[in-house]
Amino acid sequence: MTGPGISVVICAYTEDRWEDILAAVASVRAQSRPALETLLVVDHNPVLLTRLAEEFKTEYTAGSGQGAAGGGVRVLANAGPRGLSAGRNTGIAASRGEVIAFLDDDAVAERDWLRRFAEGYADPRVMAVGGRTVPIWASGRRPAWFPEEFDWVVGCTYRGLPPGLARVRNVLGGNASFRRTAFDAAGGFATGIGRDGDKRPLGCEETELCIRLSRARPDAVLLIDDRAVIHHRVPNARERFRYFRTRTWAEGLSKALVSRSVGAAKGLESERRYTTRVLPAGVARGLRDALLARPGGAGRAAAIVAGALTTAGGYAVGSVRARRGGTAFSVVDIAAGGTGSGTTGAAPDGGANGTAGTPPGGEGRAV
């Protein structure tokens, strides 16, 4: 096998997703290009940790982040604070691959997922490669009112990202990979910004990391390859407008935190194109469909307007909170095996995050 060895990290936190977790691991085992290893990181849930350890016959030391290989799968306890970011950092620190890929615990990867990632790293300048995430709606079909421009709300690839192989500002964390040297240069995922189970649907930890990486390595290339496909489950609760509204508000809060840390010019450069070009085009399509009596057209147009306004409102509130000095978030020095050194910014609301994707993954161009 040529190319870099790839470790796959899957973060899990609840037994409610037991079957999904097993399906995610099975999809990694079925890859046309085998993973070097699969690491299951359990977020402060001893019952799930023990159950997964038994399932995969893995020896582990709770709280230490150390696990022994068992059939290519290692089960680890999150060694940092509760939340997705610390879980990912635990997986990075314990992994052996030259490249670390991340897969959501409620998603399954297509057979060539890792092969497409590996191809991207043929260029030594490439520090990250992301893929395309397709929603699996619990109801069996997309809600008529739900606009594709807002699929990031449910952690999926949205209308407005460039097709094919394209250079972007940031990848989306539920379907992404990074070269190990990226973490050596920039540190790990910031804690205090990402999701903590289902408590609050914040996000943007991937955006913040990618911007930090580009600053540390100005020559770094970040790509999205839409042939690296995963399928992501969307539960019934996330098909409702109430979740849509909550998630877009939370995204505004998250963007305010990132902008406070990296500056509005970088923190919002991709969002400006998305807001001024992608969303107006979506509203126009919705209104056209409504005039042609196509189902959901008016609802999609209204949802786009509501989503944009709610995100802007969250951003305004988050900006005020950040200026007043909210909770600090920290960046982990992966190379040193740290668990949260180096204050990076002020959190608008104390932080907590999720596997839902961050919006505007980056204005891209084909390469």
Side-chain angles (χ1 to χ4, degrees), residues 251-275:
E251 187 62 27
L253 295 176
S254 301
K255 285 296 180 191
L257 172 56
V258 171
S259 295
R260 180 73 171 171
S261 173
V262 304
K266 261 297 183 188
L268 297 176
E269 64 177 355
S270 297
E271 287 72 13
R272 293 189 181 94
R273 173 185 175 275
Y274 173 79
T275 302

Side-chain angles (χ1 to χ4, degrees), residues 172-256:
L172 305 182
N175 179 11
S177 63
F178 292 84
R179 206 182 285 275
R180 178 174 298 279
T181 51
F183 300 112
D184 294 338
F189 290 92
T191 58
I193 185 175
R195 185 182 288 263
D196 178 1
D198 283 329
K199 290 185 178 179
R200 281 181 296 180
L202 301 184
C204 289
E205 70 276 16
E206 303 95 354
T207 302
E208 191 277 335
L209 171 61
C210 289
I211 293 173
R212 185 165 19 102
L213 171 59
S214 294
R215 285 182 164 182
R217 290 284 304 271
D219 61 331
V221 173
L222 285 69
L223 300 175
I224 285 182
D225 187 340
D226 67 6
R227 300 170 300 171
V229 180
I230 70 169
H231 298 264
H232 184 270
R233 290 190 179 277
V234 180
N236 280 310
R238 297 188 182 186
E239 294 187 12
R240 298 169 186 159
F241 184 74
R242 179 179 179 181
Y243 181 82
F244 180 90
R245 182 182 60 210
T246 300
R247 179 66 184 89
T248 52
W249 174 265
E251 187 62 27
L253 295 176
S254 301
K255 285 296 180 191

Side-chain angles (χ1 to χ4, degrees), residues 99-174:
V99 170
I100 300 97
F102 299 94
L103 178 66
D104 278 349
D105 65 342
D106 54 354
V108 292
E110 290 193 0
R111 180 171 170 77
D112 289 336
W113 178 60
L114 290 181
R115 182 164 71 86
R116 298 304 184 187
F117 278 172
E119 290 171 355
Y121 291 103
D123 182 344
R125 299 174 303 162
V126 173
M127 290 287 110
V129 182
R132 177 162 57 95
T133 303
V134 179
I136 304 173
W137 303 96
S139 61
R141 65 175 62 185
R142 172 186 296 275
W145 64 269
F146 203 114
E148 292 182 18
E149 290 81 2
F150 277 82
D151 276 5
W152 55 262
V153 165
V154 292
C156 296
T157 301
Y158 56 91
R159 183 191 289 267
L161 281 177
L165 183 65
R167 190 168 180 175
V168 292
R169 179 195 66 184
N170 64 276
V171 296
L172 305 182

